Amino acid sequence: MAVYDLCIVGAGMIGSAAARHASANSNVKVCLIGPQEPKVREANSGNEVFGTHYDEGRIARATATNPLWANLAKLSEERYRELENLSGIRFYHEVGALTVGTKTGRFIEQTKSSIKDYSNVEMLGNEELESKFPYLNFADSDEGIFEKRHAGYINPRKMVMAQIVVASNQGCDVIRDIVLNIENFEMGYKLLSERGKIIWTKKVLLATNAFTGLHKLLKNPVSYQSMPQTVTLASVSENTAKSLGNMPIVMYEGEGGRSWSKSYPRGSGGTIHFYLLPPIKYPDGKYYVKIGHSDEILKGSLELTDVRKWYCGSGDDELERELYTLVETVFNGIQFESHYGDACVTMVTPGKQPYVDHISSTLAVALGGNGYAAKSSDEIGRIAADLIIKSKWTCDMPRENFKVKFCNKSKL
Ligand SMILES: Cc1cc2nc3c(=O)[nH]c(=O)nc-3n(C[C@H](O)[C@H](O)[C@H](O)COP(=O)(O)OP(=O)(O)OC[C@H]3O[C@@H](n4cnc5c(N)ncnc54)[C@H](O)[C@@H]3O)c2cc1C
């Protein structure tokens, strides 16, 4: 009977990164278990769990309103090219990142405080924004922070693939299945999969994102909310996509431009908050600009039993239409051809920080992307792999910031 040293449950962004880092040590026998992306997402297809990485673009930048997320992103970004070279898979598009918002507003000021390298940043007043990005329009009171390098977007599907290719080359076994139960024995764990496979392992790392609570993999569930995200994918012609070839990713929080849609829902401070990705070629061969919203305008979180259903839909129809109307007015002179909505779920922890923590000395978690973990997944996976294998905290940021909060007070 083969016994692994470590079994990582969840072959998504964080799990696959942890598998690569853990298996870099040839003395550690690692197994990564998790289903592949289904060809179609249908509620009656029998698929019970889905991944947040089922997309072609995720923002990557080393600035953020929260310094912890900025740091995790920076450390991960520093290894993107190395991972591309090791795997032979290109997933990083270093198109730059433009953060725009009301001058001296909270969003701009907090983002400024996370800037580590001013030589990589251009501060832009309204006129400079207009001349540098004539295809976008902003409010007169806005200012911009343009990160020229070490920022842009990653292809999350390809990044996961790259991590798995390297992990496999290092000897990690990859099992395409779902874990239904984890039983603890004196010498380790017995994992039972949906297809009836039994896996024995000395240690377990859970990287199961918003589905963590579904199969009761932990005796004492960790505290989180599943936030229903809607995005609009607005298609443009190939020529338009080429003309926007240098467009950076955009993050916005402010009053909004004069010509922008008036009906788009505003957050508690009366501001508009969205993110935007430049045209990206999707698997259907078309180019899409993607726009998404902030959590502030959501009505609430999903029940665990509804997460799967949400993944199989196209998001909130009304919000999708609002996002489309907004994107039409944020761009200057860009013709959109069609649009559709897509749905996804983020795992949000009470402190909006990730959980990288021991549940016991042989069971750990790497969870809680909070909407930011695609770009930061490599560093989160590395910290988690070191924690579970070496029982060491190899991160400069305080361990306290990554501690799990449980639903029930008594920690089992
Ligand atoms: C609309 C949207 C936009 C986003 N934009 C950005 C962005 O621009 N930049 C950014 O950095 N982040 C972004 N994020 C967040 C980012 O995608 C997530 O934080 C990241 O994917 C989380 O990685 P993960 O490994 O925790 O989860 P996932 O990538 O979802 O992986 C979890 C995996 O666990 C598997 N799994 C679950 N249960 C089981 C089980 N019982 N057995 C086996 N496997 C299981 C699932 O199949 C899945 O593959 C966005 C998220 C959404 C929804």
Side-chain angles (χ1 to χ4, degrees):
M1 183 182 66
V3 180
Y4 290 102
D5 293 308
L6 172 66
C7 182
I8 298 162
V9 184
M13 302 223 62
I14 294 175
S16 64
R20 173 168 82 95
H21 289 285
S23 59
N25 180 346
S26 57
N27 294 322
V28 182
K29 189 66 195 141
V30 182
C31 157
L32 174 67
I33 177 162
Q36 261 172 318
E37 179 177 352
K39 289 209 166 58
V40 280
R41 275 189 264 152
E42 280 172 359
N44 57 6
S45 65
N47 287 308
E48 263 203 302
V49 300
F50 299 91
T52 320
H53 56 278
Y54 302 165
D55 199 359
E56 299 295 308
R58 288 280 182 269
I59 289 171
R61 62 189 184 123
T63 52
T65 48
N66 177 325
L68 178 135
W69 284 108
N71 212 8
L72 289 170
K74 179 180 172 289
L75 294 166
S76 297
E77 195 272 345
E78 285 168 2
R79 293 192 292 266
Y80 289 168
R81 294 298 184 206
E82 180 197 344
L83 176 57
E84 286 187 328
N85 291 338
L86 285 171
S87 63
I89 296 171
R90 307 287 294 172
F91 60 82
Y92 183 30
H93 303 267
E94 207 174 346
V95 293
L98 176 64
T99 304
V100 183
T102 309
K103 204 171 180 164
T104 70
R106 178 205 72 99
F107 183 60
I108 281 290
E109 290 308 310
Q110 286 183 353
T111 304
K112 273 185 198 164
S113 66
S114 73
I115 299 174
K116 292 256 163 56
D117 173 12
Y118 266 92
S119 69
N120 183 36
V121 167
E122 266 179 61
M123 303 301 300
L124 306 169
N126 182 268
E127 278 174 21
E128 289 150 316
L129 279 170
E130 226 176 281
S131 63
K132 210 170 171 73
F133 305 103
Y135 48 85
L136 295 170
N137 70 78
F138 296 106
D140 295 343
S141 54
D142 283 342
E143 72 171 328
I145 300 169
F146 180 47
E147 289 165 80
K148 294 172 277 189
R149 285 169 286 110
H150 307 299
Y153 66 92
I154 50 173
N155 180 319
R157 284 187 175 114
K158 287 193 177 158
M159 187 168 172
V160 169
M161 214 187 292
Q163 298 281 21
I164 292 178
V165 163
V166 180
S168 300
N169 290 344
Q170 293 173 164
C172 171
D173 285 342
V174 180
I175 301 172
R176 293 310 195 171
D177 212 337
I178 294 173
V179 174
L180 298 183
N181 189 41
I182 301 178
E183 222 178 315
N184 188 196
F185 291 91
E186 207 178 314
M187 300 300 287
Y189 297 87
K190 178 185 163 189
L191 274 57
L192 176 68
S193 83
E194 195 180 53
R195 293 187 184 157
K197 205 170 162 57
I198 288 172
I199 299 151
W200 294 92
T201 178
K202 291 178 193 160
K203 293 181 175 180
V204 175
L205 174 69
L206 289 188
T208 39
N209 201 15
F211 289 98
T212 303
L214 192 67
H215 295 108
K216 310 215 168 14
L217 302 176
L218 294 170
K219 284 195 187 117
N220 190 358
V222 298
S223 174
Y224 68 92
Q225 287 187 308
S226 302
M227 300 308 288
Q229 307 293 334
T230 299
V231 295
T232 286
L233 289 142
S235 75
V236 293
S237 69
E238 189 169 351
N239 281 341
T240 303
K242 284 194 176 135
S243 73
L244 293 173
N246 291 327
M247 181 181 158
I249 66 90
V250 180
M251 303 284 305
Y252 184 86
E253 188 186 312
E255 305 299 321
R258 251 176 295 169
S259 58
W260 291 10
S261 163
K262 298 284 176 281
S263 59
Y264 188 78
R266 288 174 182 259
S268 53
T271 54
I272 289 187
H273 192 168
F274 67 86
Y275 62 88
L276 190 62
L277 277 86
I280 297 175
K281 193 173 186 180
Y282 270 67
D284 66 0
K286 288 188 183 175
Y287 291 83
Y288 293 92
V289 164
K290 187 176 76 173
I291 181 168
H293 57 82
S294 72
D295 283 0
E296 246 197 343
I297 58 166
L298 291 177
K299 291 175 196 108
S301 59
L302 293 170
E303 292 296 325
L304 202 49
T305 44
D306 292 330
V307 171
R308 171 171 164 248
K309 208 167 124 205
W310 181 262
Y311 261 106
C312 296
S314 51
D316 177 324
D317 289 343
E318 199 184 321
L319 184 49
E320 193 281 322
R321 273 193 301 276
E322 289 291 2
L323 284 163
Y324 180 64
T325 315
L326 179 66
V327 80
E328 268 193 311
T329 53
V330 168
F331 275 96
N332 277 326
I334 297 294
Q335 191 71 39
F336 291 101
E337 295 180 331
S338 62
H339 65 103
Y340 71 91
D342 198 6
C344 185
V345 173
T346 48
M347 177 180 188
V348 175
T349 61
K352 296 203 166 47
Q353 317 252 40
Y355 291 152
V356 183
D357 199 3
H358 271 138
I359 302 295
S360 72
S361 61
T362 52
L363 175 64
V365 294
L367 304 165
N370 286 279
Y372 308 119
K375 59 179 150 316
S376 312
S377 53
D378 195 62
E379 179 61 5
I380 298 173
R382 187 199 66 76
I383 301 169
D386 278 356
L387 183 69
I388 186 72
I389 291 168
K390 304 176 190 164
S391 292
K392 278 192 181 148
W393 187 251
T394 57
C395 165
D396 286 345
M397 288 169 274
R399 190 169 173 176
E400 202 49 40
N401 293 345
F402 295 78
K403 283 246 161 270
V404 157
K405 290 195 173 53
F406 290 91
C407 293
N408 309 319
K409 278 197 181 124
S410 68
K411 188 170 168 178
L412 294 180

